[in-house]
Amino acid sequence: MIPFLEISHKNIVKTWLLRIIFDHVNLKGEDPTARGLESSYRCYKDYGSYYTDGIAENIFQNNLYNSVTYYNGIPIYDWNTLEEIAQSTVKGWMNSPGHRKNILTPNSAHFTYHPYLFQVFL
């Protein structure tokens, strides 16, 4: 994994968990590109006739279970399988124009995944 991505993942997930925020922009107003620059990582690609500069990310808040039933006050979860979570996550991204564009852009060089279901495109 690219060092910036490891640091960025840990920091943004901490932000999500500690501050109850789930967004592309953190509480300091930083988007994925700004977080990369803060970690000394710039994603600039020169293709001759044009260039790209920046980082895109896909995040998805998914359900780990379908339902919960209580028996004598004890919760019993109907857990989704990893396959079900993966399928519903990708389906959600593909049904969102911006997220779909990130996935289908041929110039994306790196993809990384995190257990909290986020995808970074460099």
Side-chain angles (χ1 to χ4, degrees), residues 23-79:
D23 200 333
H24 295 289
V25 177
N26 66 17
L27 294 173
K28 295 191 290 185
E30 298 168 326
D31 65 7
T33 300
R35 293 193 308 268
L37 292 172
E38 183 179 296
S39 299
S40 300
Y41 185 86
R42 181 174 181 207
C43 187
Y44 175 86
K45 297 179 196 166
D46 189 342
Y47 296 96
S49 61
Y50 71 99
Y51 71 91
T52 61
D53 191 11
I55 299 171
E57 72 180 353
N58 285 355
I59 59 177
F60 191 74
Q61 190 169 1
N62 207 337
N63 294 319
L64 298 179
Y65 57 89
N66 283 321
S67 64
V68 61
T69 306
Y70 290 87
Y71 294 101
N72 296 323
I74 300 170
I76 306 296
Y77 295 91
D78 177 19
W79 295 104

Side-chain angles (χ1 to χ4, degrees), residues 12-13 15-23 25-27:
I12 195 70
V13 170
T15 300
W16 291 340
L17 293 174
L18 297 175
R19 309 269 179 129
I20 320 271
I21 184 172
F22 190 75
D23 200 333
V25 177
N26 66 17
L27 294 173

